[in-house]
Amino acid sequence: MSDALANFNAQRPTGREVWGWLYRGEVAMALGVLLIVVLLIVPIPTMVLDLLLAISIMSSVLILMTALLIKKPLDFAVFPTVLLVATLFRLGLNLASTRLVLSHGHEGTASAGQIIEAFGNLMMSGSFVIGLIVFAILLVVNFVVITKGSTRIAEVSARFTLDSMPGKQMAIDADLSAGLIDENEAKRRRKELEQESTFFGAMDGASKFVRGDAVAGLIITAINAIGGILIGMLQHGMEAGDAANSYVVLTIGDGLVTQVPALIVSIAAGFLVSKAGVEGSADKAMVTQLATNPVSLGMVSAAAGVIGLIPGMPLLPFAAIAAGAGVLAWRQGRKRLEPEPVIETSAPSEPAEEPISNALAIDDVKIELGYALLSLINDLEGRRLTDQIKALRRTLAAEFGFVMPPVRILDNMRLATQGYAIRIKEMEAGSGEVRLGQLMAMDPNGRQVDLPGEHVREPAFGLPATWVDEGLREEATFRGYTLVDPSTVLTTHLTEILKDNMPDLLSYAEVQKLLKELPTEQKKLVEDLVPSVVTTTTIQRVLQALLRERVSIRDLPTILEGLAEAAPHTASVTNLVEHVRSRLSKQLCWQNQSPDGQLPIITMSPEWEAAFADAMVGNGEERQLAMAPSRLQDFIRAVRDTFERAAQMGEAAVLLTSPGIRPYVRSIIERFRGQTVVMSQNEVHPRARLKTVGVV
């Protein structure tokens, strides 16, 4: 028993811990809601009621100012909850004041507190009929005008927001896939999109609180007035006039004390839901859009002046408005007529003649567009072509290790209206046509798309495709087709052309730039290697050979280390490349492994290994393959059949050969299967998990 008592005393919270809990926001919120519920049940004195009514009025002012000054609706995302709490608080105060009015109304107008008495006397102006009319007008303004309009805006905003969610989500995914944004930015946009839909949906429901509050205020006021007069006459023996004067004053004061904060909160809700699409606070947006047009201000000035001259109209107010609007129109007009500041330069008055040598310069990468495709550059609704090309250059730099040259875009009237041409060093490397306003649909299985449209071949890979209208998007998605917009079709084609021409784009200057931008700790390696061991030209040729087989050169320090090991023993670029590839074995195996982590390989039979080894003639740089054409045809046929069988099994296999013949086998295979990877046995990392899927 003593042990249990000791454990209880040890686990009992201390006074400091209790106060710490009270300081926490969720505990304070829970206590506040409980106190609101208490207002509905327990009577409260007039002094406490005055304090709570003052808090209600000032909190409504705080809500209105916050709604006015926020930049966008989501900055006040807690507004639906605030609206619910404020409505419950006002209803609780209304019930508490009703209890005081009906219980002590016969004692005089001060029986329900000073705030209610002050509001009643202020609005009635000596006659309770005036008070009733003013109260009814405020109720109509709140219920019919502000609340009804806010509710309609909230309903439409919620519907449109929910309808646009799929499109916005697809836009975020497309930007992420194109590399325009990173994963963190995509998560932030998705969270903001989810908050936006939740907010407008909650506002649609929360606006009903305001309407219900107005209806409840009307019913409570009627009950107070009628019930108070009956109680005063029947229970306290008051005359009808005295009872009406006392109870109606209190009733009108009570109704106004609750309806004024309700009106303020309704205005705040109206500002919040009508702020969609407007950036900045409400005052700046209104001034920017209303008071900056000199023509509009001039018309206001003229209209005010004409109305002021009508017989019987007061001249002074209209003259003041005409003068003020005229001054604003004059100032705004002068601002528009002021010339733009010109920056003086020391350039000669006549343009200098362009040097003839500039005509010799060529563009490394250039895209020529037909006249109709120029809109892709300035597409404000979708993804602009220039943004996609920037993302493409960034992606290729991260994948292959060097920055592609800038892409120049210009128009060519000789092309088809919706045609384009891609040029590498001024020579055409690819061309095609796209259809603006349509989508290219492709079957992932390589079959022809069964949808109405223009059947074509996809320009990058030659797959069957169909240009379909935007209206068929849902049907195409339902059938599992891949949909691509015109700018992405062009960008994909550009991507494949750049990958095929990477060796030509890696110039001597680019290699020097790569060496210069190496980290400080790698500078010593470059100094020891260049030019005493190898020249920059040799490094360029090795890197070009790697890129020709789409091997990333991002790990440049490892490549330089491999050159430092092999260069003292051989001057053959082919041998240097093979040694560097062996140093990159881990990268090569990881780059070509299947999703399950295994490296699928197709090996060469001993007969073909011996045939290639016997067909090698010459030494060093002069070594080459001398195999009979008929034997080469047999080899090509065997490779094609083996890889097709592997593809039917869903395997993207690598051809594995012996180190001595790998470069020559690759030189043959690249002529008919350019995407096939050829690796030697020295390039297989010891930890790689191999999976044999065929033998040539």
Side-chain angles (χ1 to χ4, degrees), residues 37-338:
V37 176
V38 169
L39 288 176
L40 302 173
I41 304 172
V42 180
I44 59 175
T46 57
M47 184 178 298
V48 177
L49 180 62
D50 284 343
L51 175 62
L52 295 179
L53 289 175
I55 293 175
S56 175
I57 296 173
M58 292 300 102
S59 62
S60 64
V61 174
L62 174 62
I63 294 171
L64 175 61
M65 293 299 103
T66 304
L68 279 172
L69 299 178
I70 59 171
K71 302 297 181 183
K72 54 185 179 179
L74 283 182
D75 292 342
F76 201 2
V78 75
F79 183 80
T81 304
V82 172
L83 189 61
L84 172 61
V85 174
T87 303
L88 289 175
F89 186 41
R90 285 196 306 274
L91 290 176
L93 292 178
N94 212 336
L95 186 58
S97 61
T98 297
R99 187 182 294 110
L100 287 175
V101 169
L102 298 180
S103 301
H104 305 282
H106 63 283
E107 299 175 3
T109 56
S111 58
Q114 296 180 4
I115 293 181
I116 292 179
E117 181 184 18
F119 265 86
N121 292 329
L122 176 65
M123 301 304 297
M124 289 180 62
S125 301
S127 173
F128 66 85
V129 177
I130 297 176
L132 286 173
I133 294 174
V134 173
F135 175 76
I137 292 174
L138 286 178
L139 196 64
V140 169
V141 169
N142 186 16
F143 181 72
V144 177
V145 180
I146 300 176
T147 303
K148 190 172 183 180
S150 301
T151 303
R152 181 57 180 167
I153 294 176
E155 291 175 355
V156 174
S157 299
R159 186 184 309 123
F160 285 172
T161 301
L162 293 176
D163 290 344
S164 63
M165 272 195 69
K168 292 181 179 180
Q169 184 66 48
M170 291 177 62
I172 295 173
D173 295 340
D175 287 345
L176 179 61
S177 302
L180 299 177
I181 58 176
D182 56 13
E183 184 65 30
N184 294 330
E185 177 65 14
K187 289 181 180 178
R188 187 193 67 79
R189 290 190 184 181
R190 292 192 188 103
K191 184 175 180 61
E192 183 176 352
L193 181 61
E194 180 182 356
Q195 290 177 342
E196 181 181 357
S197 62
T198 304
F199 171 76
F200 284 107
M203 283 299 300
D204 184 18
S207 60
K208 305 300 188 298
F209 293 143
V210 182
R211 297 187 63 181
D213 186 19
V215 174
L218 177 61
I219 296 175
I220 292 174
T221 301
I223 292 175
N224 284 352
I226 298 173
I229 293 175
L230 292 177
I231 290 175
M233 294 174 58
L234 299 178
Q235 290 188 2
H236 302 290
M238 299 176 64
E239 296 292 335
D242 295 337
N245 185 56
S246 178
Y247 281 97
V248 171
V249 169
L250 293 175
T251 300
I252 297 302
D254 180 23
L256 290 173
V257 167
T258 54
Q259 281 304 309
V260 168
L263 179 64
I264 295 175
V265 173
S266 299
I267 295 173
F271 272 110
L272 198 63
V273 297
S274 63
K275 192 177 175 55
V278 179
E279 289 294 334
S281 57
D283 60 331
K284 294 181 180 178
M286 293 179 67
V287 170
T288 301
Q289 299 181 21
L290 289 179
T292 58
N293 192 332
V295 177
S296 301
L297 293 172
M299 295 299 295
V300 170
S301 177
V306 171
I307 295 175
L309 296 176
I310 297 176
M313 285 289 181
L315 179 60
L316 185 60
F318 286 103
I321 295 174
V327 171
L328 286 176
W330 177 71
R331 294 182 62 182
Q332 294 295 333
R334 289 198 60 183
K335 285 183 179 180
R336 293 195 175 189
L337 292 177
E338 289 179 358

Side-chain angles (χ1 to χ4, degrees), residues 582 585-586 589 599 681-690:
S582 65
S585 59
K586 188 174 183 179
C589 293
L599 179 64
Q681 297 162 358
N682 289 345
E683 298 165 11
V684 178
H685 193 267
R687 294 185 179 180
R689 294 187 297 152
L690 304 181

Side-chain angles (χ1 to χ4, degrees), residues 312-582:
M313 285 289 181
L315 179 60
L316 185 60
F318 286 103
I321 295 174
V327 171
L328 286 176
W330 177 71
R331 294 182 62 182
Q332 294 295 333
R334 289 198 60 183
K335 285 183 179 180
R336 293 195 175 189
L337 292 177
E338 289 179 358
E340 294 290 335
V342 178
I343 302 176
E344 296 183 358
T345 62
S346 58
S349 57
E350 295 183 1
E353 183 180 355
E354 184 179 0
I356 299 178
S357 59
N358 290 351
L360 301 178
I362 63 175
D363 297 312
D364 290 330
V365 185
K366 181 166 60 176
I367 299 178
E368 296 179 350
L369 301 177
Y371 177 76
L373 298 186
L374 295 179
S375 59
L376 293 177
I377 304 175
N378 300 316
D379 187 4
L380 299 180
E381 297 181 358
R383 292 178 295 160
R384 294 189 301 174
L385 179 61
T386 52
D387 295 334
Q388 288 184 295
I389 292 176
K390 290 178 183 178
L392 169 62
R393 294 181 65 217
R394 189 181 302 113
T395 302
L396 291 179
E399 183 177 355
F400 292 100
F402 83 100
V403 180
M404 295 290 176
V407 180
R408 184 182 181 188
I409 304 176
L410 67 161
D411 61 322
N412 187 346
M413 297 302 177
R414 292 177 294 180
L415 293 174
T417 307
Q418 300 192 74
Y420 66 88
I422 301 174
R423 297 182 180 273
I424 302 294
K425 295 185 180 296
E426 300 294 339
M427 291 179 288
E428 184 173 318
S431 61
E433 291 189 19
V434 295
R435 297 290 179 262
L436 295 181
Q438 296 185 346
L439 299 172
M440 176 175 281
M442 293 177 289
D443 191 332
N445 297 322
R447 295 189 293 266
Q448 183 63 58
V449 173
D450 186 17
L451 286 175
E454 181 184 356
H455 298 302
V456 295
R457 287 281 176 178
E458 193 272 333
F461 304 101
L463 301 175
T466 302
W467 286 105
V468 299
D469 293 333
E470 284 274 1
L472 296 175
R473 178 191 291 271
E474 294 185 2
E475 183 178 355
T477 304
F478 177 76
R479 296 189 182 187
Y481 295 150
T482 302
L483 296 177
V484 187
D485 59 88
S487 60
T488 304
V489 172
L490 197 158
T491 308
T492 304
H493 196 185
L494 175 64
T495 302
E496 293 305 312
I497 290 177
L498 289 178
K499 289 181 179 180
D500 291 338
N501 292 272
M502 280 188 297
D504 298 330
L505 297 174
L506 183 64
S507 62
Y508 184 89
E510 288 292 336
V511 175
Q512 287 185 315
K513 185 178 180 181
L514 290 175
L515 297 176
K516 185 178 180 180
E517 293 178 351
L518 279 174
T520 305
E521 57 270 17
Q522 303 293 338
K523 296 292 186 182
K524 181 61 177 174
L525 174 61
V526 178
E527 294 175 0
D528 294 343
L529 188 62
V530 181
S532 57
V533 180
V534 293
T535 63
T536 305
T537 303
T538 302
I539 297 177
Q540 178 190 4
R541 292 179 62 188
V542 171
L543 296 180
Q544 287 176 332
L546 294 173
L547 291 174
R548 190 169 290 110
E549 298 189 44
R550 300 194 178 186
V551 177
S552 174
I553 60 172
R554 189 173 181 181
D555 191 6
L556 189 56
T558 301
I559 296 174
L560 296 178
E561 291 173 4
L563 289 175
E565 294 172 352
H569 308 290
T570 179
S572 171
V573 175
T574 301
N575 294 337
L576 292 176
V577 171
E578 294 306 303
H579 185 79
V580 168
R581 287 178 61 91
S582 65

